[in-house]
Amino acid sequence: MESWPVRAGDTSLFLECESGVVKMVCVSYSGVGIENAPQLEACSESSPAARISLPGGIYIESTVEKLMEWQTVLSGQQVFDLDFDNPQLRFRAENPSEDGMIPITSFGSSRGEILNAALDFDAIGKAFLVNSVDHVRVESVAHFREGRIAYASGRHVDAYNNYYLFLETRYCDGKFGNERQTKLLCQVPDFLKYLNEAIVYFRQEATEKQPRKSKHLEEVFKPDSTAYKKIESLVLLRGHLRHHSLKSPHRWNPNRQQEYEMPARFLGLVVGNIVLSESLRDIYDPVIQEKFRDISSNAGLKTEIKVSTYRIDRKPTLVVDMTFPTTVTSTRLCLRATRDTIDLCENKEQLSDTTKLAAEANGLELFVAEVGIWAYTVTRSVKGMPERNYIRCVFEYLKAGAVLRGEFKLPIQRSTIDVLSGWRLLESCFDWIENRDPTTRIVTLRIFLNEFESPLIRYAVGAQVKR
């Protein structure tokens, strides 16, 4: 995990990492007076025990507030399990005259490393530069974050309740009652959009993997059910889980929460997409990107990439020089450079006969993307069936230090694939994987037409690429 200080005025953000996992998120303040350092008060007649006083408590409050805003922006892509109840304070002398005047240099404790890995540092740094996050958004995303942590811990009831609290805080305007909340949620375009997308995704997953069905989501997946009925069933489940009573014969057992895994995962997908859309909007804001780029460039913390493109019949080709505000050659960096190069080739009107992209960084291979040998035939295309064609995407990705394999199918309308449509399919597969999990670290990817054994296009990162 990459980390270097992101400075905004007298305040800086940096991460402490170990084996690719974030151990601590730190906010540093410069120019703080020595009187704010912790003091050790000796025993006295009125106080038989020694005491530690922390006069700089205002900085704790300021840090918690800033990190809550930072987490709100970032939570759509990466959830950090930070223990705000037990912050660790560190004190360092800023000049020689303060040496020896700080009796306690560190105070506090920290715990856990749940969910504290995976995201690239550039998104983490950009989130810190976002200002004035609305307090309603901060509060509602805090519920989403707690839901993610609960789900990762197997507490599916807590997860569902927290995801619903996001909706209640954000959209229900303090109104209670099943009918009132159902009507209010029916009037939220973003919620309806991502609800329908989640239904489509789960139906596709059911077709591919045939997962266990949930009786709690029967109404949601009924083809003839109205939006009101679907949302009402989610609201009623919230009431059932939140108002737990030992007198009820239908009470849920806290030791058997697997029954509610699918409802929690479903609602988490809906809410997660809302949070992710807001996170991407902020982090990829042009002003924020330029500010972060200036910080990294001025500090010399950047990576230079050279991408060579190859065309059919040896036509003149583009050679692209790129600079990214990062020091780590990660899979996400490769993905971004690949997308940018494809866009540039299209703008220069050479994508339709570009057969290969090959990138280098630090004198070593960074990634390669290449269409199949079919592009060099007379027709420069490959034909499928007259109708009902599809592509198979087989990819390998990094997860918790291991390389895993994934595969999915996507229907396509065309029966003939040419070079331009091949690059379009590569972008579609990237989109599908990112929409499913933005933190997926793709190391290889191959796309096949129907059940053909020769790939339409392939993509792979080099050996130097870090997790």
Side-chain angles (χ1 to χ4, degrees), residues 189-248:
D190 281 349
F191 174 66
L192 293 173
K193 171 188 174 182
Y194 292 118
L195 175 66
N196 289 327
E197 287 184 3
I199 292 173
V200 171
Y201 172 78
F202 267 66
R203 281 175 176 162
Q204 181 182 6
E205 184 184 63
T207 301
E208 295 177 353
K209 299 181 180 179
Q210 297 182 345
R212 177 181 56 81
K213 296 181 179 180
S214 172
K215 64 180 181 182
H216 304 292
L217 295 179
E218 289 180 353
E219 188 66 41
V220 172
F221 291 103
K222 283 183 179 179
D224 57 347
S225 181
T226 63
Y228 183 92
K229 286 292 186 182
K230 295 177 190 292
I231 296 172
E232 183 184 43
S233 69
L234 298 175
V235 175
L236 292 175
L237 180 56
R238 178 271 308 170
H240 168 65
L241 296 178
R242 186 181 298 178
H243 305 297
H244 189 213
S245 173
L246 291 175
K247 296 180 180 179
S248 172

Short mmCIF file of all heavy atoms in Angstrom, two decimals, residues 189-248:
data_model
loop_
_atom_site.label_atom_id
_atom_site.label_comp_id
_atom_site.label_asym_id
_atom_site.label_seq_id
_atom_site.Cartn_x
_atom_site.Cartn_y
_atom_site.Cartn_z
N PRO A 189 -35.32 9.06 -6.94
CA PRO A 189 -34.86 8.49 -8.22
C PRO A 189 -33.60 7.63 -8.08
O PRO A 189 -33.51 6.56 -8.68
CB PRO A 189 -34.61 9.73 -9.09
CG PRO A 189 -35.47 10.80 -8.50
CD PRO A 189 -35.48 10.53 -7.03
N ASP A 190 -32.61 8.11 -7.33
CA ASP A 190 -31.36 7.34 -7.20
C ASP A 190 -31.60 5.99 -6.55
O ASP A 190 -31.05 4.97 -6.97
CB ASP A 190 -30.33 8.12 -6.37
CG ASP A 190 -29.65 9.20 -7.19
OD1 ASP A 190 -29.82 9.20 -8.42
OD2 ASP A 190 -28.96 10.04 -6.60
N PHE A 191 -32.44 5.97 -5.50
CA PHE A 191 -32.73 4.71 -4.82
C PHE A 191 -33.44 3.75 -5.76
O PHE A 191 -33.10 2.55 -5.83
CB PHE A 191 -33.58 4.97 -3.58
CG PHE A 191 -34.05 3.71 -2.90
CD1 PHE A 191 -33.15 2.85 -2.30
CD2 PHE A 191 -35.40 3.38 -2.88
CE1 PHE A 191 -33.58 1.68 -1.68
CE2 PHE A 191 -35.84 2.22 -2.27
CZ PHE A 191 -34.92 1.37 -1.66
N LEU A 192 -34.42 4.23 -6.51
CA LEU A 192 -35.16 3.38 -7.45
C LEU A 192 -34.23 2.84 -8.53
O LEU A 192 -34.32 1.67 -8.92
CB LEU A 192 -36.31 4.17 -8.08
CG LEU A 192 -37.44 4.57 -7.14
CD1 LEU A 192 -38.42 5.49 -7.86
CD2 LEU A 192 -38.16 3.35 -6.59
N LYS A 193 -33.32 3.70 -9.01
CA LYS A 193 -32.38 3.29 -10.05
C LYS A 193 -31.50 2.14 -9.58
O LYS A 193 -31.38 1.09 -10.25
CB LYS A 193 -31.51 4.48 -10.46
CG LYS A 193 -30.36 4.12 -11.38
CD LYS A 193 -29.43 5.31 -11.59
CE LYS A 193 -28.20 4.90 -12.40
NZ LYS A 193 -27.25 6.04 -12.57
N TYR A 194 -30.88 2.31 -8.41
CA TYR A 194 -29.96 1.28 -7.92
C TYR A 194 -30.69 0.07 -7.37
O TYR A 194 -30.13 -1.04 -7.35
CB TYR A 194 -29.01 1.88 -6.88
CG TYR A 194 -28.06 2.89 -7.49
CD1 TYR A 194 -28.08 4.22 -7.09
CD2 TYR A 194 -27.17 2.51 -8.49
CE1 TYR A 194 -27.21 5.15 -7.66
CE2 TYR A 194 -26.30 3.42 -9.07
CZ TYR A 194 -26.33 4.75 -8.65
OH TYR A 194 -25.48 5.66 -9.22
N LEU A 195 -31.92 0.22 -6.94
CA LEU A 195 -32.74 -0.93 -6.55
C LEU A 195 -32.98 -1.83 -7.75
O LEU A 195 -32.80 -3.06 -7.68
CB LEU A 195 -34.07 -0.46 -5.95
CG LEU A 195 -35.08 -1.55 -5.61
CD1 LEU A 195 -34.56 -2.43 -4.47
CD2 LEU A 195 -36.44 -0.95 -5.23
N ASN A 196 -33.37 -1.23 -8.87
CA ASN A 196 -33.62 -2.02 -10.08
C ASN A 196 -32.34 -2.66 -10.60
O ASN A 196 -32.35 -3.80 -11.09
CB ASN A 196 -34.25 -1.13 -11.16
CG ASN A 196 -35.68 -0.72 -10.82
OD1 ASN A 196 -36.41 -1.49 -10.20
ND2 ASN A 196 -36.07 0.47 -11.21
N GLU A 197 -31.21 -1.94 -10.51
CA GLU A 197 -29.94 -2.51 -10.96
C GLU A 197 -29.54 -3.71 -10.09
O GLU A 197 -29.02 -4.71 -10.60
CB GLU A 197 -28.84 -1.45 -10.91
CG GLU A 197 -28.96 -0.41 -12.02
CD GLU A 197 -27.80 0.57 -12.01
OE1 GLU A 197 -26.87 0.40 -11.18
OE2 GLU A 197 -27.81 1.51 -12.84
N ALA A 198 -29.79 -3.61 -8.79
CA ALA A 198 -29.47 -4.73 -7.90
C ALA A 198 -30.34 -5.94 -8.20
O ALA A 198 -29.87 -7.09 -8.15
CB ALA A 198 -29.65 -4.29 -6.44
N ILE A 199 -31.59 -5.73 -8.53
CA ILE A 199 -32.49 -6.83 -8.88
C ILE A 199 -31.98 -7.54 -10.13
O ILE A 199 -31.93 -8.78 -10.18
CB ILE A 199 -33.93 -6.31 -9.08
CG1 ILE A 199 -34.52 -5.83 -7.74
CG2 ILE A 199 -34.82 -7.39 -9.70
CD1 ILE A 199 -35.86 -5.14 -7.87
N VAL A 200 -31.60 -6.75 -11.14
CA VAL A 200 -31.06 -7.34 -12.38
C VAL A 200 -29.79 -8.13 -12.09
O VAL A 200 -29.61 -9.24 -12.58
CB VAL A 200 -30.78 -6.22 -13.41
CG1 VAL A 200 -30.03 -6.80 -14.62
CG2 VAL A 200 -32.08 -5.57 -13.85
N TYR A 201 -28.91 -7.56 -11.26
CA TYR A 201 -27.65 -8.23 -10.94
C TYR A 201 -27.90 -9.55 -10.21
O TYR A 201 -27.29 -10.58 -10.54
CB TYR A 201 -26.78 -7.32 -10.07
CG TYR A 201 -25.54 -8.01 -9.55
CD1 TYR A 201 -24.44 -8.20 -10.36
CD2 TYR A 201 -25.50 -8.50 -8.24
CE1 TYR A 201 -23.31 -8.85 -9.90
CE2 TYR A 201 -24.37 -9.15 -7.76
CZ TYR A 201 -23.28 -9.32 -8.60
OH TYR A 201 -22.17 -9.98 -8.12
N PHE A 202 -28.80 -9.56 -9.22
CA PHE A 202 -29.07 -10.77 -8.45
C PHE A 202 -29.75 -11.83 -9.32
O PHE A 202 -29.51 -13.02 -9.13
CB PHE A 202 -29.93 -10.44 -7.23
CG PHE A 202 -29.12 -10.17 -5.99
CD1 PHE A 202 -28.30 -9.06 -5.92
CD2 PHE A 202 -29.16 -11.01 -4.90
CE1 PHE A 202 -27.54 -8.79 -4.80
CE2 PHE A 202 -28.40 -10.76 -3.76
CZ PHE A 202 -27.59 -9.65 -3.71
N ARG A 203 -30.59 -11.40 -10.25
CA ARG A 203 -31.22 -12.36 -11.14
C ARG A 203 -30.17 -13.02 -12.05
O ARG A 203 -30.22 -14.22 -12.30
CB ARG A 203 -32.30 -11.68 -11.98
CG ARG A 203 -33.60 -11.46 -11.22
CD ARG A 203 -34.60 -10.69 -12.06
NE ARG A 203 -35.87 -10.56 -11.36
CZ ARG A 203 -36.81 -9.67 -11.69
NH1 ARG A 203 -36.60 -8.84 -12.69
NH2 ARG A 203 -37.93 -9.62 -11.00
N GLN A 204 -29.24 -12.22 -12.53
CA GLN A 204 -28.16 -12.77 -13.35
C GLN A 204 -27.30 -13.72 -12.54
O GLN A 204 -26.91 -14.78 -13.01
CB GLN A 204 -27.29 -11.63 -13.91
CG GLN A 204 -26.16 -12.12 -14.79
CD GLN A 204 -25.28 -10.98 -15.29
OE1 GLN A 204 -25.45 -9.84 -14.90
NE2 GLN A 204 -24.35 -11.30 -16.16
N GLU A 205 -27.01 -13.34 -11.31
CA GLU A 205 -26.21 -14.20 -10.42
C GLU A 205 -26.94 -15.51 -10.16
O GLU A 205 -26.33 -16.58 -10.11
CB GLU A 205 -25.93 -13.48 -9.10
CG GLU A 205 -25.02 -14.27 -8.17
CD GLU A 205 -24.83 -13.59 -6.83
OE1 GLU A 205 -25.85 -13.43 -6.13
OE2 GLU A 205 -23.71 -13.24 -6.49
N ALA A 206 -28.27 -15.42 -9.99
CA ALA A 206 -29.05 -16.64 -9.74
C ALA A 206 -28.98 -17.58 -10.95
O ALA A 206 -28.94 -18.80 -10.81
CB ALA A 206 -30.49 -16.27 -9.44
N THR A 207 -28.95 -17.01 -12.15
CA THR A 207 -28.88 -17.82 -13.36
C THR A 207 -27.53 -18.50 -13.48
O THR A 207 -27.42 -19.67 -13.86
CB THR A 207 -29.12 -16.94 -14.60
OG1 THR A 207 -30.41 -16.33 -14.49
CG2 THR A 207 -29.06 -17.78 -15.87
N GLU A 208 -26.45 -17.77 -13.12
CA GLU A 208 -25.10 -18.30 -13.29
C GLU A 208 -24.70 -19.25 -12.17
O GLU A 208 -24.05 -20.26 -12.40
CB GLU A 208 -24.10 -17.14 -13.36
CG GLU A 208 -24.29 -16.26 -14.59
CD GLU A 208 -23.34 -15.09 -14.59
OE1 GLU A 208 -22.63 -14.89 -13.58
OE2 GLU A 208 -23.29 -14.37 -15.60
N LYS A 209 -25.06 -18.91 -10.92
CA LYS A 209 -24.54 -19.66 -9.78
C LYS A 209 -25.61 -20.42 -9.00
O LYS A 209 -25.30 -21.25 -8.16
CB LYS A 209 -23.83 -18.70 -8.82
CG LYS A 209 -22.66 -17.98 -9.45
CD LYS A 209 -21.98 -17.07 -8.43
CE LYS A 209 -20.79 -16.35 -9.04
NZ LYS A 209 -20.13 -15.45 -8.06
N GLN A 210 -26.88 -20.13 -9.26
CA GLN A 210 -27.99 -20.74 -8.55
C GLN A 210 -27.80 -20.69 -7.03
O GLN A 210 -27.72 -21.72 -6.35
CB GLN A 210 -28.15 -22.20 -8.99
CG GLN A 210 -28.50 -22.34 -10.46
CD GLN A 210 -28.69 -23.77 -10.88
OE1 GLN A 210 -28.30 -24.70 -10.18
NE2 GLN A 210 -29.30 -23.98 -12.03
N PRO A 211 -27.72 -19.46 -6.47
CA PRO A 211 -27.52 -19.35 -5.02
C PRO A 211 -28.79 -19.68 -4.26
O PRO A 211 -29.87 -19.77 -4.84
CB PRO A 211 -27.16 -17.87 -4.84
CG PRO A 211 -27.93 -17.19 -5.94
CD PRO A 211 -27.88 -18.15 -7.11
N ARG A 212 -28.62 -19.85 -2.95
CA ARG A 212 -29.77 -20.11 -2.09
C ARG A 212 -30.73 -18.92 -2.12
O ARG A 212 -30.32 -17.78 -2.02
CB ARG A 212 -29.28 -20.35 -0.67
CG ARG A 212 -30.40 -20.56 0.35
CD ARG A 212 -29.81 -20.77 1.71
NE ARG A 212 -28.94 -19.68 2.11
CZ ARG A 212 -29.40 -18.52 2.62
NH1 ARG A 212 -30.69 -18.33 2.77
NH2 ARG A 212 -28.55 -17.58 2.97
N LYS A 213 -32.01 -19.19 -2.29
CA LYS A 213 -33.00 -18.12 -2.31
C LYS A 213 -33.34 -17.68 -0.89
O LYS A 213 -33.13 -18.42 0.06
CB LYS A 213 -34.27 -18.58 -3.04
CG LYS A 213 -34.06 -18.88 -4.51
CD LYS A 213 -35.37 -19.29 -5.17
CE LYS A 213 -35.16 -19.57 -6.65
NZ LYS A 213 -36.42 -19.99 -7.33
N SER A 214 -33.86 -16.47 -0.77
CA SER A 214 -34.27 -15.95 0.53
C SER A 214 -35.76 -15.66 0.52
O SER A 214 -36.26 -14.94 -0.35
CB SER A 214 -33.49 -14.67 0.85
OG SER A 214 -34.00 -14.05 2.01
N LYS A 215 -36.46 -16.19 1.51
CA LYS A 215 -37.90 -15.94 1.61
C LYS A 215 -38.18 -14.48 1.91
O LYS A 215 -39.28 -13.98 1.65
CB LYS A 215 -38.51 -16.83 2.69
CG LYS A 215 -37.98 -16.54 4.09
CD LYS A 215 -38.62 -17.46 5.13
CE LYS A 215 -38.10 -17.16 6.55
NZ LYS A 215 -38.70 -18.09 7.55
N HIS A 216 -37.19 -13.77 2.46
CA HIS A 216 -37.38 -12.37 2.82
C HIS A 216 -37.34 -11.45 1.61
O HIS A 216 -37.70 -10.27 1.72
CB HIS A 216 -36.32 -11.93 3.83
CG HIS A 216 -36.29 -12.78 5.07
ND1 HIS A 216 -37.31 -12.78 5.99
CD2 HIS A 216 -35.35 -13.66 5.52
CE1 HIS A 216 -37.02 -13.63 6.96
NE2 HIS A 216 -35.84 -14.18 6.70
N LEU A 217 -36.90 -11.96 0.45
CA LEU A 217 -36.81 -11.13 -0.75
C LEU A 217 -37.74 -11.62 -1.87
O LEU A 217 -37.60 -11.19 -3.02
CB LEU A 217 -35.37 -11.12 -1.27
CG LEU A 217 -34.31 -10.47 -0.36
CD1 LEU A 217 -32.93 -10.56 -1.01
CD2 LEU A 217 -34.65 -9.01 -0.08
N GLU A 218 -38.69 -12.48 -1.52
CA GLU A 218 -39.59 -13.02 -2.55
C GLU A 218 -40.35 -11.93 -3.28
O GLU A 218 -40.47 -11.94 -4.50
CB GLU A 218 -40.55 -14.03 -1.92
CG GLU A 218 -39.89 -15.34 -1.49
CD GLU A 218 -40.89 -16.30 -0.86
OE1 GLU A 218 -42.05 -15.88 -0.65
OE2 GLU A 218 -40.51 -17.46 -0.59
N GLU A 219 -40.87 -10.96 -2.52
CA GLU A 219 -41.64 -9.88 -3.14
C GLU A 219 -40.76 -9.01 -4.03
O GLU A 219 -41.21 -8.52 -5.08
CB GLU A 219 -42.29 -9.02 -2.05
CG GLU A 219 -43.29 -7.98 -2.57
CD GLU A 219 -44.53 -8.63 -3.19
OE1 GLU A 219 -45.02 -9.62 -2.61
OE2 GLU A 219 -44.99 -8.15 -4.23
N VAL A 220 -39.52 -8.83 -3.64
CA VAL A 220 -38.60 -7.99 -4.41
C VAL A 220 -38.36 -8.56 -5.80
O VAL A 220 -38.25 -7.82 -6.78
CB VAL A 220 -37.26 -7.83 -3.66
CG1 VAL A 220 -36.23 -7.12 -4.52
CG2 VAL A 220 -37.46 -7.08 -2.36
N PHE A 221 -38.31 -9.88 -5.91
CA PHE A 221 -37.96 -10.51 -7.18
C PHE A 221 -39.17 -11.02 -7.97
O PHE A 221 -38.99 -11.63 -9.03
CB PHE A 221 -36.98 -11.66 -6.94
CG PHE A 221 -35.63 -11.18 -6.49
CD1 PHE A 221 -35.26 -11.29 -5.16
CD2 PHE A 221 -34.74 -10.61 -7.39
CE1 PHE A 221 -34.02 -10.85 -4.74
CE2 PHE A 221 -33.50 -10.17 -6.97
CZ PHE A 221 -33.13 -10.28 -5.65
N LYS A 222 -40.38 -10.75 -7.50
CA LYS A 222 -41.56 -11.12 -8.28
C LYS A 222 -41.63 -10.26 -9.54
O LYS A 222 -41.58 -9.04 -9.46
CB LYS A 222 -42.83 -10.93 -7.45
CG LYS A 222 -43.08 -12.01 -6.42
CD LYS A 222 -44.41 -11.76 -5.70
CE LYS A 222 -44.70 -12.86 -4.68
NZ LYS A 222 -45.97 -12.60 -3.96
N PRO A 223 -41.75 -10.87 -10.72
CA PRO A 223 -41.77 -10.09 -11.97
C PRO A 223 -42.92 -9.09 -12.04
O PRO A 223 -42.79 -8.02 -12.63
CB PRO A 223 -41.91 -11.17 -13.05
CG PRO A 223 -41.41 -12.43 -12.41
CD PRO A 223 -41.80 -12.31 -10.96
N ASP A 224 -44.07 -9.44 -11.45
CA ASP A 224 -45.24 -8.57 -11.54
C ASP A 224 -45.41 -7.66 -10.33
O ASP A 224 -46.42 -6.96 -10.19
CB ASP A 224 -46.50 -9.41 -11.73
CG ASP A 224 -46.70 -10.43 -10.59
OD1 ASP A 224 -45.73 -10.63 -9.81
OD2 ASP A 224 -47.80 -10.99 -10.49
N SER A 225 -44.43 -7.63 -9.43
CA SER A 225 -44.53 -6.79 -8.24
C SER A 225 -44.23 -5.34 -8.59
O SER A 225 -43.36 -5.03 -9.39
CB SER A 225 -43.55 -7.28 -7.17
OG SER A 225 -43.65 -6.50 -6.00
N THR A 226 -44.97 -4.42 -7.95
CA THR A 226 -44.76 -2.99 -8.19
C THR A 226 -43.58 -2.48 -7.37
O THR A 226 -43.13 -3.14 -6.41
CB THR A 226 -46.01 -2.20 -7.81
OG1 THR A 226 -46.25 -2.35 -6.39
CG2 THR A 226 -47.23 -2.70 -8.58
N ALA A 227 -43.09 -1.30 -7.73
CA ALA A 227 -42.00 -0.69 -6.97
C ALA A 227 -42.42 -0.47 -5.53
O ALA A 227 -41.62 -0.67 -4.60
CB ALA A 227 -41.58 0.63 -7.62
N TYR A 228 -43.67 -0.09 -5.32
CA TYR A 228 -44.16 0.13 -3.95
C TYR A 228 -44.09 -1.15 -3.13
O TYR A 228 -43.64 -1.15 -1.98
CB TYR A 228 -45.59 0.66 -3.99
CG TYR A 228 -46.15 0.99 -2.61
CD1 TYR A 228 -46.04 2.26 -2.09
CD2 TYR A 228 -46.78 0.01 -1.84
CE1 TYR A 228 -46.54 2.57 -0.83
CE2 TYR A 228 -47.27 0.29 -0.58
CZ TYR A 228 -47.15 1.58 -0.08
OH TYR A 228 -47.63 1.87 1.17
N LYS A 229 -44.53 -2.26 -3.71
CA LYS A 229 -44.52 -3.53 -2.99
C LYS A 229 -43.10 -4.00 -2.69
O LYS A 229 -42.83 -4.56 -1.61
CB LYS A 229 -45.27 -4.59 -3.81
CG LYS A 229 -46.78 -4.43 -3.82
CD LYS A 229 -47.36 -4.71 -2.44
CE LYS A 229 -48.87 -4.70 -2.47
NZ LYS A 229 -49.42 -4.94 -1.09
N LYS A 230 -42.20 -3.81 -3.65
CA LYS A 230 -40.81 -4.21 -3.43
C LYS A 230 -40.21 -3.45 -2.26
O LYS A 230 -39.58 -4.03 -1.36
CB LYS A 230 -39.98 -3.96 -4.69
CG LYS A 230 -40.38 -4.78 -5.91
CD LYS A 230 -39.54 -4.38 -7.11
CE LYS A 230 -40.06 -5.01 -8.40
NZ LYS A 230 -39.89 -6.46 -8.45
N ILE A 231 -40.39 -2.13 -2.28
CA ILE A 231 -39.82 -1.29 -1.22
C ILE A 231 -40.50 -1.57 0.11
O ILE A 231 -39.84 -1.63 1.16
CB ILE A 231 -39.95 0.20 -1.60
CG1 ILE A 231 -39.11 0.49 -2.85
CG2 ILE A 231 -39.51 1.10 -0.45
CD1 ILE A 231 -39.31 1.87 -3.43
N GLU A 232 -41.80 -1.80 0.08
CA GLU A 232 -42.53 -2.10 1.32
C GLU A 232 -41.97 -3.36 1.98
O GLU A 232 -41.85 -3.42 3.22
CB GLU A 232 -44.01 -2.28 1.01
CG GLU A 232 -44.85 -2.53 2.26
CD GLU A 232 -46.31 -2.81 1.93
OE1 GLU A 232 -46.56 -3.58 0.97
OE2 GLU A 232 -47.20 -2.27 2.63
N SER A 233 -41.61 -4.36 1.19
CA SER A 233 -41.08 -5.59 1.78
C SER A 233 -39.75 -5.34 2.47
O SER A 233 -39.46 -5.94 3.52
CB SER A 233 -40.92 -6.66 0.69
OG SER A 233 -39.89 -6.33 -0.21
N LEU A 234 -38.93 -4.44 1.92
CA LEU A 234 -37.67 -4.08 2.57
C LEU A 234 -37.90 -3.31 3.86
O LEU A 234 -37.20 -3.51 4.85
CB LEU A 234 -36.80 -3.25 1.61
CG LEU A 234 -36.38 -3.94 0.30
CD1 LEU A 234 -35.64 -2.96 -0.59
CD2 LEU A 234 -35.53 -5.17 0.58
N VAL A 235 -38.89 -2.43 3.85
CA VAL A 235 -39.24 -1.66 5.05
C VAL A 235 -39.77 -2.57 6.15
O VAL A 235 -39.40 -2.44 7.32
CB VAL A 235 -40.27 -0.56 4.70
CG1 VAL A 235 -40.72 0.17 5.97
CG2 VAL A 235 -39.68 0.43 3.71
N LEU A 236 -40.63 -3.51 5.78
CA LEU A 236 -41.20 -4.43 6.77
C LEU A 236 -40.14 -5.34 7.37
O LEU A 236 -40.19 -5.66 8.56
CB LEU A 236 -42.31 -5.27 6.13
CG LEU A 236 -43.58 -4.51 5.72
CD1 LEU A 236 -44.55 -5.43 4.98
CD2 LEU A 236 -44.26 -3.91 6.96
N LEU A 237 -39.16 -5.75 6.56
CA LEU A 237 -38.08 -6.57 7.10
C LEU A 237 -37.26 -5.78 8.10
O LEU A 237 -36.84 -6.31 9.14
CB LEU A 237 -37.19 -7.07 5.96
CG LEU A 237 -36.01 -7.96 6.38
CD1 LEU A 237 -36.49 -9.16 7.18
CD2 LEU A 237 -35.20 -8.39 5.17
N ARG A 238 -37.04 -4.51 7.82
CA ARG A 238 -36.36 -3.65 8.79
C ARG A 238 -37.10 -3.63 10.11
O ARG A 238 -36.50 -3.75 11.19
CB ARG A 238 -36.24 -2.24 8.22
CG ARG A 238 -35.60 -1.22 9.15
CD ARG A 238 -36.59 -0.50 10.05
NE ARG A 238 -37.70 0.07 9.31
CZ ARG A 238 -38.78 0.58 9.87
NH1 ARG A 238 -38.93 0.53 11.19
NH2 ARG A 238 -39.75 1.09 9.13
N GLY A 239 -38.43 -3.49 10.05
CA GLY A 239 -39.22 -3.48 11.28
C GLY A 239 -39.12 -4.79 12.05
O GLY A 239 -39.01 -4.80 13.27
N HIS A 240 -39.13 -5.88 11.32
CA HIS A 240 -39.02 -7.21 11.94
C HIS A 240 -37.67 -7.37 12.65
O HIS A 240 -37.60 -7.88 13.77
CB HIS A 240 -39.20 -8.29 10.89
CG HIS A 240 -38.84 -9.67 11.36
ND1 HIS A 240 -39.53 -10.33 12.36
CD2 HIS A 240 -37.83 -10.51 10.99
CE1 HIS A 240 -38.98 -11.52 12.58
NE2 HIS A 240 -37.95 -11.65 11.76
N LEU A 241 -36.60 -6.91 12.01
CA LEU A 241 -35.26 -7.09 12.58
C LEU A 241 -34.95 -6.07 13.67
O LEU A 241 -34.21 -6.37 14.60
CB LEU A 241 -34.21 -7.00 11.46
CG LEU A 241 -34.28 -8.09 10.39
CD1 LEU A 241 -33.22 -7.86 9.33
CD2 LEU A 241 -34.11 -9.46 11.02
N ARG A 242 -35.50 -4.89 13.53
CA ARG A 242 -35.17 -3.85 14.51
C ARG A 242 -35.97 -4.01 15.78
O ARG A 242 -35.46 -3.81 16.89
CB ARG A 242 -35.42 -2.46 13.90
CG ARG A 242 -34.96 -1.33 14.79
CD ARG A 242 -35.23 0.04 14.17
NE ARG A 242 -34.50 0.22 12.93
CZ ARG A 242 -34.60 1.31 12.18
NH1 ARG A 242 -35.42 2.30 12.55
NH2 ARG A 242 -33.92 1.43 11.07
N HIS A 243 -37.24 -4.35 15.66
CA HIS A 243 -38.11 -4.48 16.84
C HIS A 243 -38.16 -5.93 17.28
O HIS A 243 -39.14 -6.64 17.10
CB HIS A 243 -39.51 -3.94 16.52
CG HIS A 243 -39.48 -2.53 16.01
ND1 HIS A 243 -39.03 -1.48 16.76
CD2 HIS A 243 -39.83 -2.01 14.81
CE1 HIS A 243 -39.12 -0.35 16.06
NE2 HIS A 243 -39.59 -0.66 14.87
N HIS A 244 -37.07 -6.38 17.86
CA HIS A 244 -36.90 -7.76 18.26
C HIS A 244 -37.57 -7.99 19.61
O HIS A 244 -37.36 -7.24 20.55
CB HIS A 244 -35.40 -8.08 18.34
CG HIS A 244 -35.11 -9.53 18.55
ND1 HIS A 244 -34.05 -9.98 19.27
CD2 HIS A 244 -35.76 -10.64 18.11
CE1 HIS A 244 -34.04 -11.29 19.28
NE2 HIS A 244 -35.06 -11.72 18.58
N SER A 245 -38.39 -9.02 19.71
CA SER A 245 -39.08 -9.31 20.95
C SER A 245 -39.04 -10.81 21.23
O SER A 245 -39.31 -11.63 20.34
CB SER A 245 -40.55 -8.86 20.89
OG SER A 245 -41.25 -9.29 22.04
N LEU A 246 -38.71 -11.16 22.46
CA LEU A 246 -38.68 -12.57 22.84
C LEU A 246 -40.08 -13.17 22.87
O LEU A 246 -40.25 -14.39 22.83
CB LEU A 246 -38.01 -12.73 24.21
CG LEU A 246 -36.51 -12.43 24.25
CD1 LEU A 246 -36.02 -12.52 25.70
CD2 LEU A 246 -35.74 -13.41 23.38
N LYS A 247 -41.12 -12.33 22.93
CA LYS A 247 -42.49 -12.81 22.97
C LYS A 247 -42.99 -13.24 21.59
O LYS A 247 -43.98 -13.94 21.49
CB LYS A 247 -43.41 -11.73 23.54
CG LYS A 247 -43.11 -11.36 25.00
CD LYS A 247 -44.06 -10.29 25.48
CE LYS A 247 -43.76 -9.91 26.94
NZ LYS A 247 -44.69 -8.84 27.43
N SER A 248 -42.31 -12.76 20.56
CA SER A 248 -42.77 -13.06 19.21
C SER A 248 -42.35 -14.46 18.79
O SER A 248 -41.18 -14.83 18.93
CB SER A 248 -42.20 -12.04 18.22
OG SER A 248 -42.49 -12.43 16.89
#
